[in-house]
Amino acid sequence: MGLDMTRAFNFSAGPAAIPTEVLERAQKELLNWNGYGCSVMELGHRTPDFQGILDKTEANLRKLLKIPDTYKVLFMHGGASHQFSMVPMNFLAPEETANYLEMDHWSRMCIKEAQRFGNIHLQQGIRTNSEGLMELVPENEWQLDEKGKYLHFTSNETIVGVQFQEDPHTFSGKLVSDMCSDILSRPIDIEKYALIYAGAQKNIGPSGMTVVIVREDLFESFHTERVPSLFQYPYVSEKGSMPNTPPSFGIYFAGMVFEWLLENGGVEQMYKRNLEKAHLLYDYVDQSNFYHSPVAKGSRSFMNVAIQMKDRTHEERFLHEARENHLIALKGHKTFGGLRASIYNAMSLDGVKSLIRFMEQFERNVT
Amino acid sequence: MGLDMTRAFNFSAGPAAIPTEVLERAQKELLNWNGYGCSVMELGHRTPDFQGILDKTEANLRKLLKIPDTYKVLFMHGGASHQFSMVPMNFLAPEETANYLEMDHWSRMCIKEAQRFGNIHLQQGIRTNSEGLMELVPENEWQLDEKGKYLHFTSNETIVGVQFQEDPHTFSGKLVSDMCSDILSRPIDIEKYALIYAGAQKNIGPSGMTVVIVREDLFESFHTERVPSLFQYPYVSEKGSMPNTPPSFGIYFAGMVFEWLLENGGVEQMYKRNLEKAHLLYDYVDQSNFYHSPVAKGSRSFMNVAIQMKDRTHEERFLHEARENHLIALKGHKTFGGLRASIYNAMSLDGVKSLIRFMEQFERNVT
């Protein structure tokens, strides 16, 4: 790893690393896509050329996640926070109730938004256990409103680094999931869900675009009173994700990332590699007396690995020296502190091994 | 213009041409921005590095348009169509009335959306004159509701190619303007406006981002009932355009375009060049017996030049041969037909001259 290295290992939680091969392709095509003499970002969205990009992008996502025909796939403007409002605006009347699992900062934002539009039944999803470690509240302890219109939960929580190891299965109603930070990192049984959404900037592409997978029969009972057209799922669906000019460059990037995934064995292969990366890192941290994981086994995320040093005064130096070693964006979220290695699909096994080597070296240097 | 030319002259109405110099810079930085070892699209938005990009982008826009300190500049997710809802949701109570100038397809979409949230007083803005040409309805013929909360109008209409030659001045209330297709093409007297918005994909950068310039004192009287947080101007402003992950790559692109504008003499110089380009093209069309303009003098857009051939059966061949000559996206909007040359800031004088040469040659070939 000499100083001439142009690409660092980027552990950013989001916007996050894009596969280098995808960026290289984008770079090559940036001034002249497919011989058209312009970039995709300069291409009218009503051209057959752009429609072709959109169609292929959707088809590849359907292939990757085995999305049944009874589900619509939407590519929408904005981020997950837009969905925080859209879900209740579409599916919750003011007098109705929905269940929300409360996790961290982001789910609290989501809940605050939902409370604007209906009654929210809260269930704590995360807690500190007797050893002071973060853990998921086991599903058999949940107390939900079984008559609630849906249960909303975040499958992977990026700040603390906590992730559901299996789909929730006790609630008999509709499941809605914010899968921003683990979509495409593992196989999903889509049919267990009514609606899944994911902002692009972790496992899909640049920020400003969100993928929504929604069961079509939900469109039969939705609300439109004081709901902007662009926030109405059925309308966006009817217009084929193009009620207005879509975030076309983001869709093109997503399409390239989906092709990269298919070329690399799809989500099954990605899942295997993601588990390998995470186990390597957690195993190293667990055997260390210098680093530790703040998350209990059984609740740990394989996408966002929170790491703490027993002596927190080393953090600044760690981040500085890591950067000098081309390992960037390892700082934990400001609300939780410590270190965090986000190891989404685009992070290679080599990247994780480099991080571990650096952690070993850092420990030797400061102790 | 040999076949080895990699960049075509792109007359797309939007997403539209980006200056080649900007794309070249983006291309160079795409895998490694500023020596950070990653792309801007892979950079956390809470890093000082991205904050620096955002701050500089805003400062340069303020410089270009001489935006007073009493106005907030927001970089928002989505397109102008999001603003179609946001404006009435923020500024119009259900029992209140606002004036909307009805132009074409887009303004009708805008009006339809506004009608969801308040009473809309319509004024026709465009009409066919006695010679069968499109023209703006003169301002002294408008009948507005003087008590209306605001007057909304589109400064430049892209489909027909009609543009206000001066700011409306008879309405005593607040002016709100959709300037998607002529922002940064000419100097604007910002203080005449309460709010200006512009989707990025014509004169600013890739689609998926919208610039809003809003007078801060408007925040004193806005509505939040059933308005998503991300649709509340004061909230987005308070959070410095980052209530959530912003469309960071779009903001970076906008920043590069603004720098390009400053390096090229700012909007004053751009305006001069835009008028020169437009006059050249209109003068050529006016003297022709083969082509004509469907728009009356005095109402013509210098951004979108609609052109019709007396014999419309030539259109397909024209578009095909133009493309072979590296002149792309000259097809008119489906609702209006004919040809259309969108000559935004990124279109060079050379591009317009090439188009005219091709038009002459085409006329010779078919007649």
Side-chain angles (χ1 to χ4, degrees):
Chain A
M1 281 198 315
L3 279 170
D4 58 355
M5 190 184 175
T6 55
R7 292 281 289 166
F9 289 119
N10 180 4
F11 295 91
S12 174
I18 305 268
T20 299
E21 297 91 324
V22 168
L23 284 167
E24 282 170 346
R25 179 173 157 197
Q27 187 178 44
K28 204 174 146 206
E29 299 177 351
L30 197 62
L31 279 91
N32 188 2
W33 174 77
N34 215 10
Y36 278 66
C38 71
S39 171
V40 169
M41 74 173 78
E42 301 172 291
L43 200 61
H45 58 292
R46 298 289 174 208
T47 56
D49 315 300
F50 182 74
Q51 186 67 54
I53 290 174
L54 178 59
D55 291 345
K56 194 173 173 194
T57 300
E58 179 180 335
N60 282 339
L61 183 63
R62 286 185 175 276
K63 196 185 290 180
L64 283 162
L65 291 178
K66 299 187 175 58
I67 302 172
D69 289 344
T70 47
Y71 285 73
K72 291 289 185 186
V73 171
L74 312 177
F75 296 93
M76 299 191 63
H77 283 283
S81 307
H82 291 80
Q83 305 297 318
F84 294 173
S85 325
M86 275 193 73
V87 166
M89 286 181 101
N90 278 257
F91 298 120
L92 201 58
E95 70 282 4
E96 291 176 328
T97 298
N99 295 289
Y100 275 70
L101 217 55
E102 187 175 352
M103 306 282 277
D104 72 301
H105 178 73
W106 291 113
S107 81
R108 282 193 294 272
M109 296 286 286
C110 176
I111 288 161
K112 203 173 147 193
E113 200 61 28
Q115 283 166 335
R116 219 182 259 290
F117 306 106
N119 299 313
I120 303 306
H121 177 92
L122 286 183
Q123 166 62 48
Q124 196 63 27
I126 195 172
R127 69 184 174 195
T128 308
N129 72 9
S130 56
E131 293 167 10
L133 301 174
M134 303 304 294
E135 68 172 16
L136 288 163
V137 175
E139 199 173 343
N140 59 21
E141 297 180 24
W142 294 359
Q143 293 191 314
L144 302 177
D145 179 343
E146 278 299 320
K147 293 205 197 79
K149 284 287 289 272
Y150 56 83
L151 164 62
H152 180 286
F153 77 106
T154 309
S155 55
N156 177 67
E157 193 290 303
T158 57
I159 293 179
V160 175
V162 155
Q163 185 174 26
F164 281 87
Q165 317 289 307
E166 55 181 21
D167 300 315
H169 55 274
T170 54
F171 181 61
S172 58
K174 298 182 180 79
L175 277 189
V176 174
S177 186
D178 171 350
M179 290 197 188
C180 282
S181 52
D182 67 353
I183 196 164
L184 291 164
S185 70
R186 59 182 173 95
I188 309 169
D189 186 350
I190 300 287
E191 288 187 316
K192 289 186 178 162
Y193 294 87
L195 188 147
I196 291 167
Y197 62 85
Q201 66 267 19
K202 296 169 197 296
N203 267 326
I204 297 173
S207 59
M209 201 258 290
T210 295
V211 168
V212 176
I213 303 166
V214 52
R215 218 174 61 216
E216 203 179 357
D217 64 320
L218 292 184
F219 292 174
E220 288 158 20
S221 64
F222 78 103
H223 305 276
T224 63
E225 199 205 344
R226 288 188 68 80
V227 181
S229 300
L230 295 186
F231 265 37
Q232 297 177 16
Y233 292 117
Y235 180 71
V236 176
S237 173
E238 182 197 320
K239 298 288 181 182
S241 292
M242 296 207 287
N244 65 337
T245 311
S248 55
F249 197 65
I251 290 171
Y252 156 73
F253 245 89
M256 290 190 292
V257 169
F258 298 163
E259 285 180 27
W260 176 85
L261 286 170
L262 287 167
E263 285 159 12
N264 285 277
V267 290
E268 292 76 14
Q269 194 55 38
M270 230 15 87
Y271 183 46
K272 216 176 125 184
R273 196 177 79 157
N274 287 332
L275 289 180
E276 189 183 354
K277 281 150 48 184
H279 286 151
L280 207 61
L281 191 49
Y282 281 116
D283 286 350
Y284 169 70
V285 168
D286 283 341
Q287 61 74 47
S288 165
N289 289 316
F290 187 80
Y291 305 99
H292 70 274
S293 161
V295 180
K297 285 178 188 177
S299 293
R300 290 174 171 177
S301 167
F302 63 84
M303 291 276 98
N304 308 92
V305 181
I307 300 168
Q308 290 177 348
M309 283 185 277
K310 291 184 182 158
D311 180 350
R312 292 200 153 191
T313 62
H314 295 314
E315 279 175 18
E316 276 305 309
R317 182 172 162 192
F318 182 97
L319 295 170
H320 179 76
E321 292 184 9
R323 182 159 193 150
E324 286 184 335
N325 283 272
H326 302 284
L327 303 163
I328 63 174
L330 283 159
K331 190 173 180 166
H333 192 271
K334 62 181 176 188
T335 62
F336 193 62
L339 309 170
R340 175 175 53 174
S342 295
I343 51 175
Y344 302 118
N345 287 341
M347 176 55 62
S348 64
L349 189 59
D350 266 358
V352 173
K353 287 180 179 168
S354 295
L355 173 60
I356 293 172
R357 276 198 302 274
F358 169 75
M359 289 169 75
E360 289 169 338
Q361 179 197 314
F362 183 80
E363 180 181 348
R364 278 197 302 273
N365 289 351
V366 298
T367 53
Chain B
M1 280 197 316
L3 280 170
D4 59 353
M5 191 184 174
T6 55
R7 293 278 291 166
F9 289 118
N10 181 4
F11 295 91
S12 174
I18 305 269
T20 299
E21 297 90 325
V22 168
L23 284 167
E24 282 169 345
R25 177 174 158 197
Q27 186 178 42
K28 204 173 145 206
E29 299 177 349
L30 198 63
L31 279 90
N32 188 3
W33 174 78
N34 215 8
Y36 278 67
C38 70
S39 171
V40 169
M41 75 173 76
E42 302 172 292
L43 200 61
H45 59 292
R46 298 290 174 204
T47 57
D49 315 300
F50 182 74
Q51 186 66 54
I53 291 174
L54 178 59
D55 291 345
K56 195 173 172 192
T57 300
E58 178 179 335
N60 282 339
L61 183 63
R62 286 185 177 274
K63 197 185 290 180
L64 283 163
L65 291 178
K66 299 187 176 60
I67 302 172
D69 289 343
T70 47
Y71 286 73
K72 292 288 185 185
V73 171
L74 311 177
F75 295 93
M76 300 191 61
H77 282 282
S81 307
H82 291 80
Q83 305 297 318
F84 293 174
S85 324
M86 275 193 75
V87 167
M89 286 181 101
N90 278 258
F91 299 120
L92 201 57
E95 71 282 4
E96 292 177 328
T97 299
N99 295 289
Y100 275 69
L101 217 56
E102 187 175 354
M103 305 282 277
D104 71 303
H105 177 72
W106 290 113
S107 81
R108 281 193 294 271
M109 296 285 285
C110 176
I111 289 161
K112 203 172 149 194
E113 199 63 25
Q115 283 167 335
R116 221 182 257 290
F117 306 105
N119 299 314
I120 303 305
H121 177 92
L122 286 183
Q123 165 62 47
Q124 196 64 29
I126 195 172
R127 67 183 176 198
T128 308
N129 73 8
S130 56
E131 292 167 11
L133 300 174
M134 303 304 294
E135 67 172 15
L136 287 163
V137 176
E139 198 172 342
N140 59 21
E141 296 181 25
W142 295 357
Q143 294 191 314
L144 302 177
D145 178 344
E146 278 298 321
K147 294 204 196 79
K149 284 287 289 270
Y150 57 83
L151 164 63
H152 180 286
F153 78 105
T154 309
S155 55
N156 178 65
E157 193 289 301
T158 57
I159 294 178
V160 175
V162 155
Q163 185 174 28
F164 281 87
Q165 318 287 307
E166 55 181 21
D167 300 313
H169 55 272
T170 53
F171 180 62
S172 58
K174 299 183 179 77
L175 277 189
V176 174
S177 185
D178 172 350
M179 290 196 187
C180 282
S181 51
D182 65 354
I183 195 164
L184 292 165
S185 71
R186 58 181 173 97
I188 310 169
D189 186 351
I190 299 287
E191 287 187 316
K192 288 187 179 162
Y193 294 87
L195 189 147
I196 291 167
Y197 61 85
Q201 66 267 21
K202 296 170 198 292
N203 266 328
I204 297 174
S207 59
M209 202 259 289
T210 295
V211 168
V212 175
I213 302 165
V214 52
R215 218 174 60 215
E216 204 179 357
D217 64 321
L218 291 183
F219 293 174
E220 288 157 20
S221 64
F222 78 104
H223 305 277
T224 63
E225 201 206 344
R226 288 188 69 79
V227 180
S229 299
L230 295 186
F231 265 37
Q232 297 178 18
Y233 292 116
Y235 180 72
V236 176
S237 173
E238 182 198 320
K239 298 288 180 182
S241 291
M242 297 207 285
N244 65 338
T245 312
S248 55
F249 197 65
I251 290 171
Y252 156 73
F253 245 88
M256 290 189 292
V257 169
F258 298 164
E259 284 179 29
W260 176 84
L261 286 170
L262 286 168
E263 286 159 11
N264 286 278
V267 290
E268 293 74 15
Q269 195 54 38
M270 229 17 85
Y271 183 46
K272 216 176 124 184
R273 196 177 78 158
N274 286 331
L275 289 180
E276 189 182 355
K277 280 150 48 184
H279 286 152
L280 208 62
L281 191 49
Y282 281 116
D283 286 351
Y284 169 69
V285 167
D286 283 343
Q287 61 74 46
S288 164
N289 288 316
F290 187 80
Y291 305 99
H292 70 273
S293 161
V295 181
K297 285 177 188 177
S299 294
R300 289 173 173 179
S301 168
F302 62 83
M303 291 276 98
N304 308 93
V305 181
I307 300 168
Q308 291 177 349
M309 282 185 279
K310 291 186 181 157
D311 181 350
R312 291 200 154 193
T313 63
H314 295 314
E315 282 177 15
E316 277 305 309
R317 182 172 163 192
F318 182 96
L319 295 169
H320 178 76
E321 293 184 9
R323 183 160 191 146
E324 286 184 334
N325 283 272
H326 302 285
L327 303 163
I328 63 175
L330 283 158
K331 190 171 180 166
H333 191 270
K334 62 181 176 188
T335 61
F336 193 63
L339 309 170
R340 174 175 53 173
S342 295
I343 51 175
Y344 301 119
N345 286 342
M347 176 56 62
S348 64
L349 189 59
D350 267 358
V352 173
K353 287 180 178 167
S354 295
L355 173 60
I356 294 172
R357 276 198 302 275
F358 168 75
M359 289 170 75
E360 290 170 336
Q361 178 196 314
F362 182 80
E363 179 180 349
R364 277 197 303 275
N365 288 352
V366 299
T367 52

